Amino acid sequence: MLTVKQIALYIGCLGMLFFILAACDEKEDPYPGFSNLVAERNELRKSISKERQGETEQSPDAKEAKETKTEKATAVLHERQIEITDADSGKPIARGVAYLNKEGEITRIRIYNQ
């Protein structure tokens, strides 16, 4: 059987449920058209973004920057094994790899300790 406390809790829960349902009547949107304004704003932001991307792609500075990046990436053509020696004694101190570009200039050196 149900105790008095349990019956009181059920009645209280039913009362709260009735109170909540009574408070939830269908009201109209207090800000009509707000969602439309937000959607239009997002579309405008996307179009502005696309225009800016088009401007940067067409600018000569951007094209030159892209070309220099690809040149730097492909600048290393040859690898040469090197040996670093002491000038006085002639003993080898370290070994490494020198990376050369098209003109034969060293672009990077990686040194391995012996």
Side-chain angles (χ1 to χ4, degrees):
M1 289 310 278
L2 296 175
T3 65
V4 176
K5 284 185 180 181
Q6 291 175 341
I7 294 172
L9 284 173
Y10 286 130
I11 292 172
C13 288
L14 286 174
M16 292 291 282
L17 181 64
F18 177 73
F19 180 72
I20 291 171
L21 290 176
C24 295
D25 58 344
E26 292 188 24
K27 294 182 182 177
E28 291 185 19
D29 187 14
Y31 304 104
F34 181 73
S35 60
N36 292 336
L37 289 174
V38 171
E40 289 174 7
R41 179 175 178 241
N42 285 338
E43 289 176 14
L44 181 63
R45 290 175 68 189
K46 288 179 184 177
S47 65
I48 290 172
S49 153
K50 287 180 183 177
E51 288 175 8
R52 287 186 181 168
Q53 286 178 352
E55 290 174 2
T56 57
E57 289 176 359
Q58 295 174 1
S59 68
D61 295 334
K63 289 180 183 177
E64 289 176 11
K66 287 181 183 177
E67 289 175 3
T68 55
K69 285 182 184 177
T70 56
E71 287 176 6
K72 287 181 182 177
T74 60
V76 176
L77 295 177
H78 302 287
E79 295 180 5
R80 302 278 185 207
Q81 297 294 325
I82 59 171
E83 185 175 89
I84 300 172
T85 58
D86 185 14
D88 294 334
S89 65
K91 292 182 180 179
I93 299 172
R95 293 180 185 224
V97 178
Y99 299 96
L100 308 171
N101 63 5
K102 292 179 185 177
E103 290 82 29
E105 299 171 345
I106 298 174
T107 57
R108 193 174 82 198
I109 297 176
R110 178 174 285 165
I111 297 175
Y112 304 107
N113 292 331
Q114 285 187 350

